[in-house]
Amino acid sequence: MKANDIKKIACIGSGLIGNSWALNFAIKGYEVNVYDINMQQLDSAKALISSNMDFLVSKDVLTKEQALEAHKTINYMTNLAEAVGDVQFIQESGPENYAIKQEILATIEEKTSKDTIFASSTSGLLINEIAKNAKHSERCLGAHPYNPVHLIPLVELAKGSNTSDEVLKCSFDFYQSIGKEPIILQKEALGFIANRLQVALYREAVDLVIRGVCSVEDVDKAALFGPGLRFGILGPNMIFQLGGGAHGIKGLLNHVGPSAELWLADMADWKKWPAGWQEKSQDGVNQAMVNRPHELGNTTEEIARYRNDMLVDLLKLHKKL
Ligand SMILES: NC(=O)c1ccc[n+]([C@@H]2O[C@H](COP(=O)([O-])OP(=O)(O)OC[C@H]3O[C@@H](n4cnc5c(N)ncnc54)[C@H](O)[C@@H]3O)[C@@H](O)[C@H]2O)c1
């Protein structure tokens, strides 16, 4: 199958990730079947899709007419067999649990053509294990998005040992054709790529607070107003390329590398979260939320709105919206 053979998609699970995928596919012109286990969950997915669609209209990403058209292409259903019967691509975003994902896949196998691609949004489960009972494990792959899926372009594609090259290529081309930035993991890595990067930075952020070097609020300021601004534009290697001036990244590593090795030797390498960090981080974040200027948001909802506003502006600069 080729990417342009994909005409209709099923989103299995309509929670945080599933409803955002459904919106994403619908605004790119695909008909989407959204499945969940009950109407109550589908109703809340529908309400979220509607408010996210309104947000995109308010930011001139979509016209009202385009939003209306996209709404019409989404079918909400509680019958899994019906949801997957006539689609060429399945984006599974059910609970992060092997037994449930295996059961979903078993039903899918009975009801779809063997060419229908099964892409799991799993954050950390192994595709080999999800597909271990599958008759057609060659059509299964991991396709890990980032929240909010309809705004963040990255999709990390993970192959199982049986995933066919054709399925991988078709999925890669498909995501790329709808404006995502797919990357393929060349080998299995727990947490994929981006979550490992996030957690590596976060471990050091935690450690600096625990050591008493700075507060939760200040470590966030250091990340945001320092390297974070550049991370919104370039990746870490390209940032260092510029940091080396005419000598490039190689020159930078020769110049500052020995000094950075002293920092590396002093940096956190623990493997378990420090005791009490959950409470300490929440207290610190609560204080930082109170301290924020009102126009930047003081509640989780207001800050999420602020983030989404900024994300849209940034994505427009990246020509991703
Ligand atoms: N939350 C994140 O930031 C994030 C990011 C990337 C990937 N993921 C992955 O996406 C998947 C979904 O995560 P989420 O955060 O949307 O979870 P969620 O709890 O918000 O949504 C899960 C949905 O699955 C539905 N469900 C329950 N049983 C089901 C079944 N048998 N068949 C189909 N659907 C069923 C639930 O009703 C719910 O709507 C997980 O695999 C998760 O690891 C999550």
Side-chain angles (χ1 to χ4, degrees):
M1 187 164 61
K2 301 258 184 316
N4 56 14
D5 294 324
I6 297 171
K7 310 284 180 211
K8 191 168 178 181
I9 299 167
C11 288
I12 307 306
S14 68
L16 184 74
I17 298 302
N19 75 65
S20 192
W21 269 126
L23 161 61
N24 200 155
F25 297 140
I27 63 178
K28 294 296 174 183
Y30 290 89
E31 193 176 347
V32 187
N33 290 343
V34 182
Y35 164 82
D36 212 307
I37 49 174
N38 59 48
M39 268 328 282
Q40 206 182 357
Q41 180 53 44
L42 286 172
D43 285 344
S44 68
K46 196 171 185 176
L48 275 167
I49 288 175
S50 204
S51 70
N52 285 329
M53 203 91 88
D54 290 348
F55 171 73
L56 294 179
V57 171
S58 77
K59 304 297 285 182
D60 295 325
V61 175
L62 291 179
T63 63
K64 271 190 187 156
E65 294 68 32
Q66 287 169 323
L68 269 177
E69 277 310 303
H71 272 303
K72 284 191 214 152
T73 62
I74 306 179
N75 315 304
Y76 296 88
M77 37 187 71
T78 52
N79 182 325
L80 181 55
E82 196 188 327
V84 297
D86 60 346
V87 303
Q88 296 77 40
F89 195 90
I90 296 169
Q91 185 78 45
E92 177 275 317
S93 311
E96 186 75 344
N97 171 300
Y98 279 123
I100 297 179
K101 290 190 191 295
Q102 285 161 352
E103 196 185 312
I104 292 171
L105 185 52
T107 309
I108 284 169
E109 292 230 297
E110 273 178 36
K111 302 295 172 189
T112 58
S113 115
K114 66 178 177 41
D115 296 326
T116 299
I117 292 177
F118 175 86
S120 174
S121 300
T122 180
S123 301
L125 303 180
L126 301 176
I127 197 66
N128 277 344
E129 189 62 20
I130 294 174
K132 75 172 181 187
N133 303 319
K135 283 186 225 116
H136 294 290
S137 50
E138 71 281 358
R139 46 104 150 246
C140 302
L141 78 165
H144 178 236
Y146 274 75
N147 180 42
V149 177
H150 59 279
L151 293 179
I152 303 276
L154 181 66
V155 188
E156 296 176 308
L157 301 184
K159 318 181 251 191
S161 34
N162 294 339
T163 310
S164 75
D165 290 346
E166 186 193 342
V167 162
L168 194 64
K169 176 157 181 14
C170 175
S171 305
F172 183 95
D173 292 347
F174 163 66
Y175 288 120
Q176 200 170 48
S177 75
I178 61 167
K180 310 304 279 184
E181 278 290 342
I183 55 173
I184 297 173
L185 272 77
Q186 300 301 332
K187 55 160 73 172
E188 211 159 64
L190 281 173
F192 304 117
I193 297 168
N195 273 339
R196 289 173 82 109
L197 295 174
Q198 281 203 120
V199 171
L201 175 66
Y202 192 60
R203 177 165 61 185
E204 191 53 32
V206 173
D207 208 63
L208 286 163
V209 176
I210 301 269
R211 284 190 196 201
V213 175
C214 57
S215 64
V216 167
E217 186 175 2
D218 281 353
V219 82
D220 273 15
K221 273 191 192 167
L224 164 60
F225 291 113
L229 284 173
R230 302 191 308 203
F231 278 142
I233 306 167
L234 297 169
N237 286 292
M238 201 57 80
I239 286 173
F240 282 173
Q241 169 69 14
L242 303 193
H247 304 289
I249 185 169
K250 186 174 165 196
L252 181 77
L253 290 172
N254 283 333
H255 178 205
V256 188
S259 172
E261 280 181 357
L262 297 177
W263 318 336
L264 283 172
D266 189 48
M267 281 164 67
D269 61 0
W270 37 259
K271 308 292 181 198
K272 298 260 182 216
W273 300 109
W277 175 248
Q278 286 85 341
E279 292 72 25
K280 196 170 175 133
S281 61
Q282 190 63 66
D283 291 347
V285 167
N286 290 348
Q287 189 56 53
M289 284 164 92
V290 171
N291 293 350
R292 286 168 71 83
H294 185 58
E295 64 276 16
L296 305 189
N298 300 103
T299 64
T300 304
E301 292 71 29
E302 288 167 1
I303 297 169
R305 169 73 201 215
Y306 170 78
R307 178 207 53 193
N308 289 351
D309 279 343
M310 294 281 265
L311 257 178
V312 166
D313 290 346
L314 193 55
L315 287 164
K316 283 183 178 170
L317 289 171
H318 278 287
K319 310 244 178 299
K320 284 286 178 195
L321 277 181

